[in-house]
Amino acid sequence: QGQDMLPGPVYAAVIAHRWYGARPNLPWLREQAYGMLKPKRIPHVRGCEEMAVQLARRWGEDEGRAAEGAILHDITKKFDGAEQLRLCEKYGIMTDTVERRETQLLHAKTGAALARERFGVDEGIYSAIFWHTTGRPGMSTMEKILYLADAMEPTRAYGGVEELRHLAFEDLDAAMRLGLQMSCDAVRARRQEV
């Protein structure tokens, strides 16, 4: 598509600003995002994309937008706590005491901000990335799709994941309740604050 006809930096600028209504070519977006990840995280991101597309198809959401969110959801995951906090400051992201202590939670917020700045994601994809680790009240369908895709992509192997996978295609809200409960239980088991 467009990236074959334009110099790399020009294509990147077109996507970052979404000029001409452009949407990124997914192979190009994967290449960009995978370069920002630790290699061991790439299978998870691939699986998350696969699952997000399947859920989008099932629940009537745009498959390309779901793929974008999944491809980009962990782009700041490799950064340590100090770097996460620096990115929060750069992007004006408010943090609470739990996030400052459990800085691994911040990758969702910093990843959303970087995805918007570098790849021009729309507000719906931004929000889905922003809430993919904690969820929030009143989640949109796209937010639910990314949250669940992250929790149950094919490389995930934990007690209850098969039930979650089945439920996500039958009742999205019931799957969210189960996924959130499982997440809270796992956090408590690590003696961390929910």
Side-chain angles (χ1 to χ4, degrees):
Q1 293 181 350
Q3 83 277 6
D4 296 334
M5 297 181 282
L6 297 171
V10 174
Y11 183 75
V14 168
I15 295 304
H17 298 284
R18 297 295 170 118
W19 290 327
Y20 316 110
R23 287 177 66 172
N25 176 280
L26 293 180
W28 176 85
L29 189 63
R30 285 184 202 105
E31 181 182 341
Q32 301 304 304
Y34 292 176
M36 302 168 82
L37 303 173
K38 290 182 179 178
K40 69 180 183 177
R41 180 145 301 274
I42 293 172
H44 162 71
V45 171
R46 282 187 184 133
C48 187
E49 178 189 357
E50 174 187 319
M51 189 61 66
V53 168
Q54 290 175 24
L55 287 169
R57 186 176 306 128
R58 168 62 180 92
W59 298 108
E61 288 289 322
D62 184 288
E63 294 174 31
R65 290 179 67 246
E68 275 187 58
I71 291 166
L72 297 171
H73 82 283
D74 275 349
I75 57 174
T76 61
K77 180 83 172 182
K78 72 178 181 182
F79 297 137
D80 66 16
E83 183 66 11
Q84 293 292 348
L85 291 168
R86 190 193 70 72
L87 287 172
C88 286
E89 186 175 320
K90 173 183 176 182
Y91 292 116
I93 297 168
M94 299 280 295
T95 59
D96 60 29
T97 55
V98 174
E99 290 170 326
R100 285 189 294 279
R101 189 173 55 250
E102 307 293 340
T103 54
Q104 73 275 12
L105 292 172
L106 294 173
H107 81 277
K109 294 179 176 185
T110 60
L114 186 59
R116 181 164 47 195
E117 177 184 73
R118 185 157 173 198
F119 301 107
V121 299
D122 66 41
E123 190 59 35
I125 296 171
Y126 171 89
S127 186
I129 296 170
F130 193 93
W131 295 109
H132 86 266
T133 58
T134 62
R136 70 176 179 98
M139 291 175 78
S140 70
T141 301
M142 187 63 73
E143 290 168 349
K144 294 172 188 176
I145 285 170
L146 188 55
Y147 180 93
L148 289 168
D150 182 49
M152 62 183 212
E153 54 85 11
T155 70
R156 297 284 197 202
Y158 55 86
V161 72
E162 288 302 326
E163 179 184 357
L164 187 61
R165 287 179 182 132
H166 172 75
L167 195 55
F169 289 91
E170 298 297 319
D171 184 332
L172 197 61
D173 289 332
M176 280 301 304
R177 285 190 295 274
L178 177 60
L180 288 164
Q181 184 61 57
M182 293 166 72
S183 180
C184 289
D185 291 347
V187 168
R188 287 186 190 104
R190 295 191 302 266
R191 301 192 188 290
Q192 295 174 319
E193 188 176 348
V194 175

